[in-house]
Amino acid sequence: MRVQVSLFGAFRSFDPGAQVLLDLPDGARVADLRQALEQYGSTHWQDFNPALLRRSAFASETTVLREADVLPADGRMAVLPPVSGG
Amino acid sequence: MRVQVSLFGAFRSFDPGAQVLLDLPDGARVADLRQALEQYGSTHWQDFNPALLRRSAFASETTVLREADVLPADGRMAVLPPVSGG
Amino acid sequence: MDRHHCAVVDIVEGPLDPAAALDFVSDPGFGGITLFVGRVRDLNHGRVVTGVSYDMFVPLALNGFREIAARADGDFGPKLKLYIAHAKGRLAVGDLAVVVAAGTPHRDEAFRACRQVIEAVKHTSPIWKQEHYEDGDSVWSEGCSLCGDEHGHAGH
Amino acid sequence: MDRHHCAVVDIVEGPLDPAAALDFVSDPGFGGITLFVGRVRDLNHGRVVTGVSYDMFVPLALNGFREIAARADGDFGPKLKLYIAHAKGRLAVGDLAVVVAAGTPHRDEAFRACRQVIEAVKHTSPIWKQEHYEDGDSVWSEGCSLCGDEHGHAGH
């Protein structure tokens, strides 16, 4: 499946469109996406910070997902670095 | 000394001018004023409630006084039933 | 102190102004502002309220507001800005009875200062509330005695 | 739910509006309204701040606001009225970043609901703050991780 990962906060600057397309096996889980994004970041992003990704969560448009959750069928995901609203 | 006691809250309605004049010995204390006001109220005010007076404090324009405090020289005092601001 | 605004506003002069309170406690160095507004409710202890009259011993009340502000300054200062205003006179349902605002660099102090101040205003200020009911009856509210313990009890 | 107003406001559409928040949470049956306003400070960790950019995952943020409001409703309802609005875009010093207001019959619930909501907004909403400094540098703020414990840590 093709997963479209929207980038926010400190990740946003890594890509002009603030998103990354990754190919993952059907039925992939959040943990798989995390691994794929780490690999992608390590090879494509000059200032990529793996420690920040490890503190980041993944979410659909409606909810934050856990590591064992299967990715939604539409493949639309977001990576959420630690939040600092308010 | 002549003491002018301003009436507030539930006491205000007892007197058209919302104040009472009482004669007390020079050097009188708050406890003396309390006693004098209870006597005055018992004889002059139809709906006087001694229990309310017992829960009431006495104050000058700047501070709440204690029972043992001597009345201020200007004789200007206020009787403060339990408060209910806000 | 010019960081503390303490006022009594007769309702005939106009309503209390929460926007003015927010302005007063704002500061370029402040990230947090907490505001409390107390309004006249339409119902109390099951009775339909048509209005409230506030009686007040004004000079002592203002003196008390300043003492309450000074105490908050000691607890949450030294930058704390505070706004304390209480209405006087006959208010209708929905009218603003009291406005308290606190501004500080961080939000925790703003919340705690605002809460401490409104509790102190309610429990220690020489202010008396007379409720008017739809049947024409009026009752002075039960309140906090100022005898002995100046902070009164916490019941109202 | 029509007792809860949740919004994200792009700064180019205009500033957040505390007066609208107070209006929204007002009710003839309410005696207490608590409002919190978060503003952009001129100084953070000793650095002179010239502005803040808020990035936000809007649909998830709005969904989160509604969940936060529903939780407060369970804790302080069933009459609780809530207003939650967060700014988005590039804010200047003094601009309003967030406004939360809670209205209830009595003040204790208003204070506690307002505090609970702003803490949840700060610790769980998908919102990111980038501070801009007078030397031209910009830094994304350290924040609360949403991994595992959705409530994050209490440190910010």
Side-chain angles (χ1 to χ4, degrees):
Chain A
M1 68 186 296
R2 168 145 293 198
V3 180
Q4 173 191 318
V5 186
S6 297
L7 307 176
F8 290 98
F11 288 118
R12 182 182 275 279
S13 56
F14 288 135
D15 184 272
Q19 67 171 40
V20 173
L21 296 175
L22 296 172
D23 284 310
L24 282 151
D26 286 352
R29 296 169 190 272
V30 168
D32 303 317
L33 174 58
R34 182 185 296 279
Q35 198 170 20
L37 187 62
E38 179 159 354
Q39 193 166 5
Y40 182 93
S42 303
T43 53
H44 291 77
W45 296 337
Q46 200 177 349
D47 297 323
F48 176 62
N49 175 357
L52 184 67
L53 180 58
R54 280 193 287 274
R55 296 190 64 220
S56 298
F58 289 85
S60 70
E61 285 201 349
T62 54
T63 190
V64 175
L65 300 174
R66 309 266 163 165
E67 294 301 292
D69 288 339
V70 173
L71 299 180
D74 68 3
R76 294 169 66 90
M77 289 291 292
V79 57
L80 314 180
V83 299
S84 52
Chain B
M1 69 186 294
R2 169 145 293 198
V3 181
Q4 172 190 318
V5 186
S6 296
L7 307 176
F8 291 98
F11 288 117
R12 182 182 276 280
S13 57
F14 288 135
D15 184 273
Q19 67 172 39
V20 173
L21 296 175
L22 297 173
D23 284 309
L24 283 151
D26 286 350
R29 296 168 191 273
V30 168
D32 303 317
L33 173 58
R34 181 184 296 279
Q35 199 170 22
L37 188 62
E38 178 159 356
Q39 194 165 4
Y40 183 93
S42 303
T43 53
H44 292 77
W45 297 336
Q46 198 176 352
D47 296 324
F48 176 62
N49 176 356
L52 183 67
L53 181 58
R54 281 194 284 276
R55 294 190 65 221
S56 299
F58 289 85
S60 70
E61 285 201 349
T62 54
T63 191
V64 175
L65 298 174
R66 309 265 163 166
E67 294 301 291
D69 288 339
V70 173
L71 300 180
D74 69 1
R76 294 170 65 89
M77 289 291 293
V79 58
L80 314 180
V83 300
S84 52
Chain C
M1 206 178 307
D2 53 339
R3 287 183 293 106
H4 301 166
H5 176 87
C6 298
V8 168
V9 179
D10 196 310
I11 187 77
V12 302
E13 297 165 14
L16 298 182
D17 185 353
L22 290 176
D23 277 352
F24 184 84
V25 302
S26 291
D27 187 281
F30 291 177
I33 292 172
T34 303
L35 173 85
F36 176 77
V37 175
R39 299 170 91 230
V40 176
R41 275 184 298 153
D42 62 1
L43 207 68
N44 199 20
H45 300 299
R47 295 188 78 174
V48 175
V49 175
T50 57
V52 162
S53 295
Y54 280 105
D55 187 19
M56 196 178 306
F57 187 15
V58 175
L60 183 63
L62 285 172
N63 210 46
F65 291 174
R66 287 187 285 262
E67 286 177 7
I68 289 166
R71 202 153 49 234
D73 217 56
D75 293 340
F76 306 108
K79 291 182 174 175
L80 176 69
K81 288 187 178 179
L82 269 180
Y83 185 99
I84 307 174
H86 202 293
K88 182 176 182 296
R90 167 105 185 203
L91 278 65
V93 169
D95 280 348
L96 276 49
V98 60
V99 170
V100 170
T104 53
H106 299 282
R107 73 185 176 286
D108 183 55
E109 288 79 8
F111 269 100
R112 288 162 63 209
C114 188
R115 184 73 196 258
Q116 176 173 306
V117 166
I118 184 61
E119 297 301 323
V121 166
K122 290 213 170 218
H123 296 149
T124 69
S125 295
I127 302 173
W128 299 272
K129 179 166 74 172
Q130 184 184 32
E131 286 186 334
H132 307 290
Y133 306 104
E134 58 174 356
D135 59 9
D137 193 17
S138 288
V139 172
W140 289 98
S141 293
E142 299 278 321
C144 294
S145 173
L146 299 185
C147 299
D149 175 13
E150 272 201 21
H151 291 87
H153 60 77
H156 97 271
Chain D
M1 205 179 308
D2 54 338
R3 287 183 292 105
H4 301 167
H5 175 86
C6 298
V8 168
V9 180
D10 197 308
I11 186 77
V12 301
E13 297 164 15
L16 299 182
D17 186 352
L22 290 176
D23 278 353
F24 184 83
V25 302
S26 291
D27 188 281
F30 291 177
I33 293 173
T34 301
L35 173 84
F36 175 77
V37 174
R39 300 170 91 230
V40 176
R41 276 184 296 152
D42 62 0
L43 206 68
N44 199 19
H45 299 302
R47 296 188 77 175
V48 176
V49 174
T50 57
V52 161
S53 294
Y54 281 104
D55 187 20
M56 196 178 305
F57 187 17
V58 175
L60 183 63
L62 285 172
N63 210 47
F65 291 173
R66 287 188 284 262
E67 286 177 8
I68 289 165
R71 202 152 50 233
D73 217 56
D75 293 339
F76 306 108
K79 292 182 174 175
L80 176 69
K81 289 189 178 179
L82 268 180
Y83 185 99
I84 308 174
H86 202 292
K88 181 176 181 295
R90 166 103 187 208
L91 278 65
V93 170
D95 280 348
L96 276 50
V98 61
V99 169
V100 171
T104 54
H106 300 282
R107 72 185 178 286
D108 184 55
E109 289 77 9
F111 269 100
R112 288 162 63 208
C114 187
R115 184 73 196 258
Q116 175 172 309
V117 167
I118 183 62
E119 298 301 324
V121 166
K122 290 214 169 216
H123 295 148
T124 69
S125 295
I127 302 173
W128 298 272
K129 178 165 75 171
Q130 184 183 32
E131 286 186 333
H132 307 290
Y133 306 105
E134 59 174 353
D135 59 9
D137 193 19
S138 288
V139 172
W140 290 96
S141 294
E142 299 277 322
C144 292
S145 173
L146 299 185
C147 299
D149 175 12
E150 271 199 26
H151 291 87
H153 59 76
H156 100 269

